[in-house]
Amino acid sequence: MSFLFEILKEIRWRGLWGTVQAAKMNRLGTMKYFVGEDEFHNRYFQKVNDVMLKDRWVEYASKDFTPDPYSLPPEWHAWLHHIIDEPPTRSTFQRPIYQGQIIANRTGTTDAYFPKNNPLSKNFKGLAKDKLEPWNGNVSTNNVVSRFARSFQNNNSKEERDVLDLK
């Protein structure tokens, strides 16, 4: 009968689907090992067997059970990998000032990043081949040469002579 009460407590705490998942992962009855919860609603646990043996794990809040690395805050990552001993709920861990808000990876979604020349980009203005015109070899180059010669003559006025030009 007490096993039934334990299952009902788990269902109230995790929900029905969360309890089924905990049973599949052999994590039923782990409420007593609960350490804390982060801003993404991930739950963290620690089972202390001996002085040196500590089993730490996380139960992700995502329902698809494919956790994104960005859904784990750095302070909890440090605790999970035994870099710090105290969990962030008990310690005074401060994030660096230069670290901004963690943004999830948008690859594969409608908000994914594409360069501006990519047709899938929101700022796409058309293909380059639509903006360019082909070179026409029949155009006379006399016009270009005469413009260059005029600009060269204007630059050789007496006021703009080089200091070392003694001629």
Side-chain angles (χ1 to χ4, degrees), residues 15-153:
L16 180 62
W17 184 247
T19 305
V20 170
Q21 289 297 321
K24 285 169 63 176
M25 295 186 308
N26 199 19
R27 297 287 187 191
L28 280 178
T30 57
M31 286 176 22
K32 58 187 171 191
Y33 305 121
F34 180 71
V35 174
E37 190 172 355
D38 64 9
E39 63 263 20
F40 301 116
H41 304 291
N42 299 324
R43 293 179 176 167
Y44 299 90
F45 300 89
Q46 177 178 358
K47 182 178 181 182
V48 179
N49 297 333
D50 284 329
V51 176
M52 295 300 289
L53 298 174
K54 296 177 184 174
D55 185 21
R56 296 176 179 174
W57 70 92
V58 60
E59 290 181 0
Y60 291 96
S62 64
K63 300 298 178 197
D64 56 358
F65 298 102
T66 54
D68 188 16
Y70 292 103
S71 65
L72 194 65
E75 57 269 15
W76 283 104
H77 178 270
W79 178 78
L80 276 174
H81 293 276
H82 300 277
I83 296 170
I84 59 174
D85 290 329
E86 290 294 318
T89 54
R90 296 185 201 144
S91 67
T92 58
F93 183 85
Q94 294 290 325
R95 286 189 184 171
I97 296 171
Y98 59 83
Q99 183 180 10
Q101 185 67 24
I102 298 172
I103 300 171
N105 189 353
R106 305 277 187 214
T107 304
T109 65
T110 57
D111 295 332
Y113 169 76
F114 294 103
K116 64 180 180 178
N117 297 333
N118 192 315
L120 298 175
S121 173
K122 295 176 183 173
N123 300 329
F124 182 65
K125 299 203 179 2
L127 296 174
K129 67 179 182 178
D130 299 336
K131 299 175 190 174
L132 301 176
E133 54 188 54
W135 177 69
N136 187 355
N138 297 331
V139 176
S140 173
T141 58
N142 290 336
N143 192 12
V144 176
V145 171
S146 65
R147 268 192 278 146
F148 177 73
R150 271 186 272 140
S151 67
F152 184 71
Q153 288 172 355

